[in-house]
């Protein structure tokens, strides 16, 4: 763990560094509050800082206030170091946001103990942040494939629709594995799960960085594809359909050939979320009815959208 020492007293700083380094800590040193402030704003800032109260350019009390005003999930553990020992000073330091207080001259044993408390607090804080991140991931991702779940992709789609209302173009693709029930019936659900995961990887590899992919439910996937200048959503979905048909998915029962039916709809200013999804679903149903393993584009005015893009 890295520890920052901010103290303009050379002797005090050297003793602090020696004790901490002896106990296995990586130590950064600075002689004024302004330098400490710069270090504590960095993405990889030290997790613990020992700050002298009286320093040039920026005193420890103001430094603590600034650090506590930073928006971060991993705030550093701050120990105020000062010769001031009156209760009113201790209260002022803690009120400003310091976690602990150490008076000069300090005892090396007390320093080790207070740093050990800080380290335990940092470890607990890190565990809490990881748990929070895990819960956030679980709330927005499908447990089997690791893709966005239905809730997350709908939120993403609403964001893209808001951009489209300001002039951007947007297409969505409702994708369904053809005859997926036969796979489950013939090979079992474990193989079916491998097919879903393999297809998720294949689609992810083929999509562009700004596209979004979700497992929308069962064997159905939803693709949200912003249409950037110079790009063609028709080429994207046609390529996905061909790639799936030409790439068997490796399973415990050997490689299995798949095909995909895709219904595509482009956003229209009159669409709400349900209407846009309904048009893509209707196109998907037509793809199934017309023989599967194909892309069908939802109607857009008098011509279909594929014709409009290609013309």
């Amino acid at each position: 763990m890295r520890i920052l020492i901010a103290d303009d007293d050379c002797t005090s700083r050297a003793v602090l560094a020696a004790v901490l380094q002896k106990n296995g800590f990586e130590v950064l040193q600075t002689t004024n509050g302004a330098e400490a402030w710069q270090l504590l704003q960095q993405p990889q800032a030290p997790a613990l800082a020992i700050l002298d109260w009286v320093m040039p350019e920026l005193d420890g009390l103001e430094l603590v206030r600034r650090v506590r005003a930073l928006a971060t999930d991993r705030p550093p553990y701050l120990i105020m170091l000062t010769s001031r020992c009156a209760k009113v000073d201790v209260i002022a330091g803690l009120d400003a946001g310091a976690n602990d207080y150490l008076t000069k001259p300090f005892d090396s044993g007390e320093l080790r103990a207070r740093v050990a408390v800080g380290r335990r607090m940092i470890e607990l804080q890190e565990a809490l942040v990881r748990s929070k991140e895990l819960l956030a991931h679980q709330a927005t991702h499908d447990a089997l494939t690791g893709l966005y779940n239905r809730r997350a992709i709908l939120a993403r789609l609403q964001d893209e629709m808001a951009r489209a209302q300001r002039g951007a173009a947007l297409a969505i693709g409702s994708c369904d594995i053809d005859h997926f029930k036969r796979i489950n019936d013939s090979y079992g659900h474990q193989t079916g799960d491998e097919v879903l995961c393999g297809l998720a990887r294949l689609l992810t590899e083929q999509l562009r960085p700004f596209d979004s992919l979700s497992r929308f439910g069962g064997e159905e996937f939803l693709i949200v594809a912003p249409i950037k200048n110079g790009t063609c959503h028709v080429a994207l979905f046609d390529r996905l359909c061909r790639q799936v048909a030409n790439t068997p998915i490796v399973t415990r029962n050997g490689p299995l050939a798949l095909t995909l039916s895709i219904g595509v709809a482009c956003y229209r200013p009159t669409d709400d979320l349900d209407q846009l999804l309904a048009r893509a679903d209707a196109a998907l149903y037509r793809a199934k009815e017309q023989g599967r393993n194909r892309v069908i584009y939802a109607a857009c005015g008098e011509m279909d959208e594929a014709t409009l893009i290609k013309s």
Side-chain angles (χ1 to χ4, degrees):
M1 186 177 77
R2 294 195 305 162
I3 296 179
L4 171 64
I5 300 172
D7 191 342
D8 61 332
D9 186 317
C10 180
T11 301
S12 173
R13 194 172 64 251
V15 174
L16 281 167
V19 173
L20 295 172
Q21 288 168 344
K22 185 177 180 181
N23 284 270
F25 295 104
E26 178 185 350
V27 177
L28 301 178
Q29 301 182 47
T30 185
T31 60
N32 64 73
E35 291 178 0
W37 171 233
Q38 292 299 319
L39 289 170
L40 290 170
Q41 292 180 85
Q42 295 178 2
Q44 301 299 322
L48 189 148
I50 300 174
L51 310 174
D52 191 19
W53 187 308
V54 180
M55 290 185 291
E57 298 188 41
L58 188 67
D59 66 44
L61 202 62
E62 178 60 24
L63 177 56
V64 168
R65 292 193 184 101
R66 291 191 184 187
V67 172
R68 289 299 177 238
L70 293 173
T72 176
D73 289 333
R74 293 174 172 83
Y77 191 89
L78 304 178
I79 299 176
M80 290 290 292
L81 178 65
T82 181
S83 57
R84 303 183 182 189
C85 56
K87 184 174 292 187
V88 66
D89 295 320
V90 174
I91 293 172
L94 296 176
D95 281 346
N99 298 100
D100 206 347
Y101 206 95
L102 189 64
T103 58
K104 293 180 180 181
F106 59 86
D107 177 80
S108 60
E110 182 183 5
L111 170 64
R112 287 194 299 270
R114 293 186 182 277
V115 169
V117 170
R119 184 173 195 169
R120 289 195 296 272
M121 293 299 295
I122 291 166
E123 290 171 350
L124 288 171
Q125 176 180 279
E126 185 62 29
L128 180 62
V129 170
R130 287 197 299 268
S131 295
K132 180 181 176 183
E133 291 172 345
L134 177 60
L135 289 173
H137 185 273
Q138 291 173 342
T140 56
H141 289 73
D142 174 56
L144 177 64
T145 62
L147 300 177
Y148 283 136
N149 59 20
R150 185 185 185 97
R151 174 185 177 185
I153 199 65
L154 290 180
R156 172 71 173 163
L157 178 53
Q158 287 178 319
D159 288 342
E160 291 298 338
M161 288 174 65
R163 292 188 182 91
Q165 289 173 354
R166 299 191 293 270
L170 172 67
I172 65 169
S174 182
C175 312
D176 191 81
I177 302 174
D178 295 328
H179 302 299
F180 182 70
K181 186 176 183 299
R182 294 180 186 175
I183 295 173
N184 281 332
D185 291 345
S186 300
Y187 302 103
H189 289 281
Q190 288 181 321
T191 297
D193 287 348
E194 290 175 340
V195 167
L196 291 170
C197 291
L199 178 61
R201 289 191 294 270
L202 176 60
L203 292 176
T204 299
E205 291 169 357
Q206 296 299 316
L207 289 174
R208 304 162 301 181
F210 47 84
D211 296 327
S212 299
L213 172 66
S214 80
R215 184 185 177 196
F216 207 55
E219 68 273 24
E220 186 177 351
F221 296 79
L222 183 68
I223 298 169
V224 176
I227 304 172
K228 304 290 185 180
N229 290 336
T231 67
C232 177
H233 75 285
V234 170
L236 169 66
F237 290 107
D238 287 351
R239 174 169 52 81
L240 290 176
C241 193
R242 289 194 304 271
Q243 190 67 37
V244 171
N246 293 330
T247 309
I249 303 297
V250 177
T251 73
R252 66 188 64 202
N253 290 292
L256 296 181
L258 298 180
T259 59
L260 203 61
S261 296
I262 306 176
V264 180
C266 284
Y267 172 78
R268 299 182 299 196
T270 56
D271 284 334
D272 60 21
L273 182 67
D274 290 339
Q275 290 169 332
L276 180 59
L277 290 170
R279 291 198 298 111
D281 282 343
L284 172 62
Y285 295 146
R286 292 202 301 276
K288 295 284 189 181
E289 291 172 351
Q290 294 179 24
R292 297 181 169 85
N293 187 27
R294 65 192 61 223
V295 185
I296 296 294
Y297 296 87
C300 180
E302 296 181 354
M303 294 186 291
D304 66 90
E305 290 172 344
T307 302
L308 288 175
I309 294 295
K310 290 177 177 178
S311 61

